[in-house]
Amino acid sequence: MKPIIVSQTLNAPREKVWSALTNHEEMVQWYFEQIADFKPVIGFSTAFDVTSGGRIFRHQWEVTEVVPGERITYTWNYPDYPGEGLVTFELEKDGDGTLVRVLNWGIETFPQEIPEFSSASCKAGWEYFIQGRLKEYIEQETS
C-alpha cells in the first residue's frame, strides 16, 4: 500500500506545531471541531461524528505511536464501513520553520463506491487541513 502524502512548511517552531497536532483545545480550532477529546498517549482512543454527502461518518481513532515533537500515528476507521487507515504526522526542522508531513495508508481498504473514501478525496482533505487550516491557524497564532 502506497500512502497518500501531504506536506507543508510552517513558519513556527516544532513545539508549536506539535501542540497544534496533539493538544485537544488547539485541534478543534483547525482540525475537526467535533473531536470530544485527544491525548498523545499510546492506546488513547476517541470517536466523533462528521456529516458529509448526507451521511454520518463515525470517526474512530486509536493512538499507536508517539515520539514527542517528532511523530504521532493513529489508526482511523469507521464502525459502519469496512476498512482501516493509518495516519502519521511527522515533524522536522526546516530552516526557521517546521515541515509537517502527513502519511495516510489504507484508503483503498474502505468502500471505493463512496466518494469520501476515494484517494482524490482523501488527498484533497489532507491538503485542506494541512496546507489550509493548520497553516492559517499556526500563522494567526505566531503573528
Side-chain angles (χ1 to χ4, degrees):
M1 292 188 288
K2 184 178 175 188
I4 291 170
I5 302 171
V6 172
S7 59
Q8 178 67 48
T9 297
L10 303 170
N11 186 24
R14 190 185 309 197
E15 298 77 27
K16 174 61 189 153
V17 178
W18 178 256
S19 182
L21 293 174
T22 60
N23 179 295
H24 176 253
E25 289 76 27
E26 293 188 65
M27 292 171 76
V28 297
Q29 294 181 54
W30 69 269
Y31 201 12
F32 289 103
E33 65 184 29
Q34 304 92 330
I35 299 171
D37 195 12
F38 190 84
K39 293 183 179 28
V41 175
I42 293 173
F44 175 82
S45 62
T46 191
F48 57 94
D49 295 336
V50 175
T51 302
S52 177
R55 289 182 288 274
I56 297 173
F57 293 91
R58 179 110 181 128
H59 290 58
Q60 293 184 160
W61 297 348
E62 182 175 342
V63 178
T64 60
E65 178 187 28
V66 179
V67 180
E70 293 181 22
R71 182 174 54 252
I72 187 164
T73 300
Y74 43 89
T75 60
W76 188 313
N77 62 59
Y78 309 87
D80 295 331
Y81 302 97
E84 182 169 84
L86 193 66
V87 174
T88 297
F89 292 85
E90 297 177 337
L91 301 179
E92 56 186 74
K93 187 165 178 47
D94 186 2
D96 291 336
T98 302
L99 174 68
V100 60
R101 181 181 306 113
V102 177
L103 298 95
N104 189 156
W105 291 270
I107 192 69
E108 66 281 348
T109 68
F110 296 102
Q112 294 301 293
E113 68 276 8
I114 297 175
E116 289 85 352
F117 292 139
S118 72
S119 291
S121 177
C122 182
K123 184 170 175 49
W126 285 121
E127 289 170 346
Y128 168 77
F129 280 120
I130 301 304
Q131 297 171 343
R133 301 273 306 203
L134 178 60
K135 185 176 188 297
E136 291 167 11
Y137 174 76
I138 291 292
E139 288 177 354
Q140 80 177 16
E141 290 295 305
T142 56
S143 60

